[in-house]
Structures are given as C-alpha cells and as structure tokens.
Amino acid sequence: MNLSYWEYKTWLSNIDFTIVGSGIVGLNCALNLREKFPKAKILILEKGFLPQGASTKNAGFACFGSISEVLSDLKVLSEQQVQKLVQKRWNGIQLLRKNLGDSYIDFQNHGGHEVFTDNQAELFESCLNNQSVINELLQPVFGKAPFVKLENHFNFKQVQNQYITNTFESQIDTGKMMHRLLHLVQNGTISILNAINVTEYSEGDDVVHVKTDKFEFATKKLIVTTNGFASKLLNNSSIKPARAQVLITKPIPKLHIKGTFHLDEGYYYFRNIENRILLGGGRNLDFEAEETTSFGETKLIQNKLVQLLTETILPETSFEIEHRWSGIMGVGSNKEPIVKQVSNNVYCGVRLGGMGIAIGSAISKEITDLL
Ligand SMILES: Cc1cc2nc3c(=O)[nH]c(=O)nc-3n(C[C@H](O)[C@H](O)[C@H](O)COP(=O)(O)OP(=O)(O)OC[C@H]3O[C@@H](n4cnc5c(N)ncnc54)[C@H](O)[C@@H]3O)c2cc1C
C-alpha cells in the first residue's frame, strides 16, 4: 500500500526523534524528550495494538529486591554495588510517583513479603541471620531499616512460620499506569502509530533510514526501547527474551490477603488486586521453552500456578481462574539494563528484567540525557 502525500507529510516527515516500542521506557522517554525539546517532532512506533511486551502484562509490584535476592546479589556484587542497585530502584519509584501521581497509578503501600517454603529452612535461616546486616546496609536508602520479620498471618500452608517483609514495597495498578502514560504522551502532541513493526534501520548522513512492515521513512534520531524483542533489531545476542506467565482469580468474597509476595526465591510472585489474587512465575520449570518472544501459556506452568493457589496461597478458600496471560521480559547474564548510544544517531534502553516499574522511568531519563 502506498501512503499518500498527506500521510507522509503529516506523520512521517521531518521527524526529530523516533522511538521504537511504547512500553514504560518508550513512553517515559517520549515525555522526557518533549520536556527537553518542546518543539521537536516525536514519533512512537509500536508493533502491538496496545503496548505488547511487558509493561501492560506485569504484576504491578513496586519492589526493590526481596531479602534473599539482596543476599544472592551480595555473592556477586560488592556491598556498595548492591546499595547502589537498591537506591536506583527506590529513586525510580519516587520518579514514577512524581511523574504520574499516586492516585493515577493506584499506588498502595502494603509491604512486600518474602515467603519461604517448607523446603527452604536453610535459606530462611540464612536470611534471618543476615537481616540486621542487610538492614544496616540499606538503611541509608530508605531512611529506616526496611526488613522486618512477620508471623504468617495470612495462613499460607506448606511455608515457614514467618515472612521477611520489606515494609516499603508497594503495589500499583499496571493498567492505570500505562493508561496515564499514554494519556500524557498524547497530550504532549506526540504521535503514536500502532501495529507498526520496525524491521530494520540503516545510518545515513545525519539521518537514520527506518524500515517497517508498512512503510519506510527517515528520522534524525532513532531510540530503540523494545526490551525483550531487541536482539534482532540491535543485532545484540546478549538480550534474551523471557516469557512470564500469569493468572488472576475471579473476585473472592472477603479475601484476607493484602500485599505483594515473593515465593521460592522470587520464582513465583503473587498479590491481591482488590479482592482477587494475581499469581505469576514458574519460568524455572522450563527455562528453555520460556526463552521466547511468542506469547502463550503452557499446561506445565499454569497447572503449577493453580497447585500453588490450592495448596499454599488459598488452601481453605474456593476460587476460580478468570484470566491467564503472558508477557515478554528482556533479560541477560546480569541485571544491568543496556542504555547506550549504539551508533551516530541510534540509541537504546533495553533489557529491563523484572524491575521495570522501579527502574523504567529512570532508564528513560538516562537515555534522554544521552541525547
Ligand atoms: C508477567 C510479568 C510480570 C512482571 N512483574 C513486574 C513487577 O511486578 N514489577 C516490575 O517492576 N516489573 C515487572 N515486570 C517487568 C516489567 O514489566 C518490565 O521490566 C517493563 O515493563 C519493561 O518495560 P519496557 O518499556 O522496557 O519494555 P516493554 O514493555 O516490553 O515494551 C517494549 C515494546 O516494544 C514493542 N516492540 C518490540 N519490538 C518492536 C518492533 N520491532 N517494532 C515496534 N515495536 C516493537 C513491544 O510490542 C512492546 O510494547 C514483569 C514482567 C512480566 C512479563
């Protein structure tokens, strides 16, 4: 299909910045660019009819790392590096709240509990033994010791009798966050074209030629924020896709569970959303099959999620599953996202891992600072 003169002139000519991907990073990046360059022509291209990666699919934890995760990080990073990592997440959440407003994202602070299974007595002991050292390390970040020990007051089964809780961990409504971001972007007179797949680009003299599945055009700067889908476009094999499967129950009358929860070293995570339980995880059951950019659910993982609901999370409550879905994360051999200038006029901010809510706004700020 040939585009008309009007279509080219209005949407696809004289573009200053083209952003590929309308997830948390792409949308925040567009807003930052609008602030920095009020007159620039900014275009976002998104392959999905909605953002279709991780940002509209996630669990909505505003988290900073459970105690076992911090302990495990301390095995490979220095104390200073771990403190910096957690500080980055904390700052990122404050930036997200400042940019979007708590009421627009339904920010609620109910704490984030790490729940240890019956089989994890040793890990639980080790976390308890290190609790005060880690609190001391992270007190400067939060202004107060973050981790406390709480009794198993939600009556989960087949778990240790206590949780280790980060009292600062919170939850947001992922849909509201993305809706708000899209609203702000559209108000900032930034065009978003959906259902456009960017297939390749090449650098010209002071412009980047961009090919999509529907048309070709030129832009002064190209910014790739395609997270788990980025390896092909950026020709960078260190970015791996990681599918994450989720389910949500129908409303449960008088649901007694409130907060965010990390189970089995974070391989499973669950939370209440109003009076439902959202539960995800299980990639560790088949890492190979879940290293994919294809959406989909598998029996193996979905059955395990239902088993956890039945035996551990809601053992005495009847429930029904209302929806199941998956999202695609971007991961790599370490937790650091890739934020860099790729070539003369091409930049990227990708590989956000499982922490995009906390770090997405900050990463987009880093990209804008490069420009
Ligand atoms: C199930 C699940 C649960 C999660 N839970 C949490 C959580 O509780 N807390 C947390 O902090 N993080 C969580 N995450 C991770 C978090 O969602 C991500 O880190 C974050 O959304 C990444 O944002 P992004 O903008 O980098 O990427 P994405 O949201 O993946 O956005 C990339 C966009 O690029 C588009 N795209 C890709 N390729 C192309 C192309 N060639 N052309 C055009 N468009 C393209 C995609 O359609 C997509 O919309 C979770 C992720 C998943 C999947």
Side-chain angles (χ1 to χ4, degrees):
M1 181 186 63
N2 282 330
L3 294 184
S4 74
Y5 164 75
W6 313 113
E7 287 164 337
Y8 258 112
K9 190 174 106 167
T10 312
W11 282 275
L12 297 171
S13 66
N14 297 321
I15 312 251
D16 296 299
F17 301 103
T18 299
I19 297 168
V20 191
S22 69
I24 300 173
V25 176
L27 295 175
N28 272 299
C29 190
L31 291 174
N32 292 333
L33 286 170
R34 170 56 71 233
E35 202 180 323
K36 192 163 169 182
F37 305 101
K39 295 203 174 124
K41 191 162 171 183
I42 306 171
L43 171 67
I44 303 177
L45 298 176
E46 165 58 52
K47 73 175 167 56
F49 63 95
L50 286 170
Q52 287 291 288
S55 298
T56 51
K57 313 284 190 187
N58 62 53
F61 287 32
C63 51
F64 315 103
S66 66
I67 191 154
S68 72
E69 187 180 348
V70 173
L71 255 187
S72 141
D73 286 345
L74 279 169
K75 288 185 188 145
V76 285
L77 302 172
S78 70
E79 287 194 354
Q80 208 188 5
Q81 284 170 316
V82 169
Q83 195 189 53
K84 216 169 133 198
L85 196 67
V86 177
Q87 181 79 59
K88 198 168 176 177
R89 296 168 183 162
W90 173 250
N91 293 350
I93 291 290
Q94 307 320 315
L95 190 61
L96 178 80
R97 296 174 65 187
K98 180 172 150 267
N99 288 348
L100 300 189
D102 283 356
S103 62
Y104 285 106
I105 58 175
D106 205 7
F107 180 89
Q108 296 184 29
N109 174 233
H110 299 303
H113 314 276
E114 175 151 18
V115 182
F116 299 85
T117 65
D118 274 345
N119 300 329
Q120 290 178 314
E122 209 175 306
L123 177 69
F124 178 56
E125 276 305 311
S126 151
C127 288
L128 279 182
N129 292 340
N130 285 287
Q131 188 186 332
S132 54
V133 177
I134 291 178
N135 270 339
E136 209 170 301
L137 178 70
L138 298 182
Q139 173 137 359
V141 175
F142 296 98
K144 197 178 140 195
F147 289 108
V148 298
K149 195 172 67 179
L150 291 182
E151 293 306 309
N152 176 18
H153 56 288
F154 295 117
N155 293 321
F156 300 132
K157 293 283 184 293
Q158 303 178 347
V159 300
Q160 305 291 326
N161 286 332
Q162 285 145 339
Y163 324 132
I164 303 184
T165 297
N166 183 329
T167 52
F168 291 91
E169 187 169 311
S170 301
Q171 52 179 267
I172 64 159
D173 181 316
T174 291
K176 287 185 180 168
M177 172 191 69
M178 289 301 285
H179 193 261
R180 180 70 181 155
L181 272 171
L182 284 164
H183 172 82
L184 293 174
V185 161
Q186 276 148 0
N187 272 7
T189 55
I190 294 162
S191 302
I192 304 186
L193 300 182
N194 284 93
I196 305 295
N197 191 357
V198 175
T199 51
E200 56 185 281
Y201 68 83
S202 57
E203 285 259 9
D205 293 337
D206 287 336
V207 285
V208 184
H209 299 286
V210 181
K211 260 194 194 172
T212 77
D213 56 347
K214 307 250 171 26
F215 50 76
E216 295 178 24
F217 70 105
T219 180
K220 286 186 191 132
K221 306 272 180 205
L222 184 72
I223 301 139
V224 179
T225 63
T226 54
N227 196 29
F229 302 87
S231 74
K232 196 160 158 234
L233 199 55
L234 293 175
N235 195 16
N236 183 336
S237 60
S238 76
I239 306 155
K240 304 275 183 218
R243 184 169 65 190
Q245 300 185 33
V246 181
L247 56 72
I248 193 165
T249 67
K250 287 186 176 172
I252 296 168
K254 298 199 185 112
L255 180 70
H256 62 291
I257 298 169
K258 209 172 227 183
T260 50
F261 300 85
H262 307 259
L263 180 70
D264 202 0
E265 291 184 80
Y267 282 120
Y268 299 94
Y269 40 91
F270 59 99
R271 62 171 282 188
N272 76 297
I273 168 79
E274 288 146 11
N275 54 354
R276 301 165 189 265
I277 292 290
L278 181 156
L279 165 66
R283 261 187 338 113
N284 54 329
L285 298 179
D286 193 347
F287 277 124
E288 208 175 310
E290 299 307 304
E291 191 181 306
T292 173
T293 50
S294 302
F295 293 92
E297 294 81 53
T298 60
K299 269 199 178 143
L300 176 72
I301 290 180
Q302 291 291 323
N303 287 347
K304 176 69 185 180
L305 295 179
V306 171
Q307 186 193 347
L308 279 175
L309 278 177
T310 316
E311 294 176 3
T312 302
I313 302 167
L314 295 167
E316 276 141 25
T317 308
S318 58
F319 63 86
E320 286 178 77
I321 307 300
E322 186 158 290
H323 291 295
R324 301 170 194 269
W325 70 88
S326 66
I328 310 295
M329 299 186 290
V331 299
S333 55
N334 67 51
K335 290 184 182 170
E336 276 297 309
I338 303 176
V339 183
K340 66 175 186 187
Q341 182 167 4
V342 179
S343 57
N344 265 355
N345 293 301
V346 181
Y347 300 76
C348 77
V350 296
R351 210 176 70 178
L352 276 274
M355 281 282 173
I357 290 175
I359 58 173
S361 316
I363 292 299
S364 64
K365 175 89 178 43
E366 279 180 36
I367 304 170
T368 319
D369 289 345
L370 287 178
L371 280 148

